[in-house]
């Protein structure tokens, strides 16, 4: 999504809270530990894709990506050849040598790259040929099956799917995706405007429609058919709506957003679902001011969620009902591995490891 605010804005899911979400099972609250790490790049990092507690990929401006294979003790930073002017606003790490990068932008600036040799070489898998399209994010169910989403074009959302590791990216027939509202789009930033869960489910969140609503599109068959529902997230202007989604399983998820043009705003910017995205209810507001740009569930920590943005970071241990301040630094994205290890990334190559004990 194009915007006058630094692109890459987003936010990510906070958690299912009251109203259909099971009671918390934690006996005592947990506290986070933050450990700054050295990324070896001055570029703004806008997306992060942990594979496990040792292998993590992140990406950002200037065609940059960074990778660690030792939990962040050391990071290697590099630039994809020929992509120096691009902004990699999404990354999906598969293993220590395999990853996908998505650059967001109008026309041919929207691209998908893949490496299978730890970044020594990159294959350009997709280049957008439609000047009106603007691809925002991608997500995968496994190493071969994935999808990518663009802002609306001519009243519909372009959706690409792959079943062969990106060797081919195939458009979903427009008739299978519900029509877009005027000006509607996704917000490109932390690469979490589209997320997957289980073997076949996926969701993408929208906004930016003047007079329109903030909506979540849902598929249960790997993108072949879609349904859509409205959410109570703040909406109605070009700068408001859902900027990110997070699902902890195929039923329980969170939509986050806000007003990306107002860094001091505090609005209804968290909603949760406990029925796979068929209905949404309001959650609590994170402590950070402005929109949430990224968020993620913390595995192995019951109903704990971390949300980040330019105004700082917050965490909730009750599924997003109440929030506590985590840090005042500026961040753009956060992600956790299945082991519970997490990383927050942001401007100036900022990387901070997060752990909950």
């Amino acid at each position: 999504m194009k915007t006058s605010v630094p692109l890459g804005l987003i936010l990510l899911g906070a958690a299912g809270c009251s109203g259909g979400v099971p009671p918390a099972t934690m006996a005592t609250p947990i506290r986070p530990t933050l450990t700054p790490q050295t990324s070896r790049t001055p570029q703004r990092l806008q997306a992060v894709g942990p594979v496990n507690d040792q292998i993590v990929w992140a990406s950002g401006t200037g065609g940059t990506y960074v990778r660690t294979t030792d939990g962040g003790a050391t990071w290697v930073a590099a630039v994809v050849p020929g992509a120096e002017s691009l902004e990699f606003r999404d990354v999906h790490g598969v293993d220590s040598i395999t990853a996908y990068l998505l650059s967001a932008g109008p026309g041919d600036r929207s691209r998908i790259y893949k490496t299978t040799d730890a970044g020594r070489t990159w294959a350009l898998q997709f280049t957008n040929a439609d000047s009106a399209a603007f691809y925002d994010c991608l997500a995968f169910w496994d190493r071969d099956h994935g999808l990518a989403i663009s802002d609306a074009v001519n009243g519909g959302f372009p959706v690409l799917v792959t079943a062969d590791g990106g060797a081919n990216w195939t458009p979903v027939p427009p008739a299978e995706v519900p029509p877009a509202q005027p000006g509607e789009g996704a917000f490109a930033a932390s690469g979490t405007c589209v997320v997957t869960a289980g073997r076949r489910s996926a969701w993408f969140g929208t906004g930016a429609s003047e007079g329109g609503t903030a909506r979540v599109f849902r598929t249960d068959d790997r993108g072949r058919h879609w349904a859509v529902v409205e959410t109570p997230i703040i909406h109605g202007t070009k700068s408001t709506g859902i900027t990110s989604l997070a699902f902890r399983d195929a039923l329980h998820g969170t939509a986050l957003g806000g007003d990306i043009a107002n860094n001091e705003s505090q609005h209804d910017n968290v909603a949760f679902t406990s029925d796979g995205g068929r209905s949404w209810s309001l959650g609590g507001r994170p402590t950070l001011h402005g929109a949430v740009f990224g968020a993620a569930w913390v595995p192995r920590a019951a109903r704990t969620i971390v949300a980040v943005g330019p105004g700082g970071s917050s965490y909730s241990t009750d599924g997003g009902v109440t929030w506590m301040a985590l840090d005042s630094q500026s961040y753009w994205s956060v992600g956790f591995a299945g082991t519970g290890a997490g990383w927050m990334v942001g401007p100036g190559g900022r990387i901070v490891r997060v752990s909950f004990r």
Side-chain angles (χ1 to χ4, degrees), residues 64-193:
T64 300
Y65 68 93
V66 298
R67 181 181 69 107
T68 182
T69 58
D70 57 12
T74 56
W75 289 84
V76 175
V79 174
V80 175
E84 294 82 359
S85 67
L86 301 180
E87 295 186 10
F88 287 127
R89 304 201 199 157
D90 203 353
V91 59
H92 175 73
V94 177
D95 52 37
S96 64
I97 62 172
T98 308
Y100 298 84
L101 294 171
L102 178 141
S103 65
D108 63 6
R109 294 183 66 80
S110 285
R111 305 177 193 176
I112 298 174
Y113 291 82
K114 181 182 181 180
T115 182
T116 56
D117 57 12
R120 286 189 291 274
T121 60
W122 289 88
L124 177 56
Q125 293 190 319
F126 169 76
T127 301
N128 173 38
D130 186 343
S131 62
F134 188 107
Y135 281 83
D136 301 286
C137 43
L138 55 71
F140 283 79
W141 289 278
D142 54 42
R143 65 187 305 121
D144 291 323
H145 296 84
L147 73 167
I149 306 297
S150 167
D151 292 342
V153 175
N154 296 325
F157 280 97
V159 177
L160 302 175
V161 295
T162 182
D164 54 14
N168 294 281
W169 289 91
T170 304
V172 173
E176 303 301 339
V177 186
Q181 301 171 127
E184 191 174 12
F187 290 95
S190 61
T192 55
C193 64

Side-chain angles (χ1 to χ4, degrees), residues 1 54 58 119 139 149 172 201 204 228 249 265 281-282 349:
M1 165 61 64
Q54 298 297 304
I149 306 297
V172 173
S201 298
F204 69 89
V228 67
D249 54 42
S265 63
S281 302
L282 278 177

Side-chain angles (χ1 to χ4, degrees), residues 4 9 11 18 40 49 61-62 119 162 207-208 227 232 234 237 250 281 295 316-317 347 349:
S4 58
L9 13 106
L11 71 88
S18 58
R40 302 182 187 278
T61 58
T162 182
I234 181 175
T237 71
S281 302
S316 170
T317 59

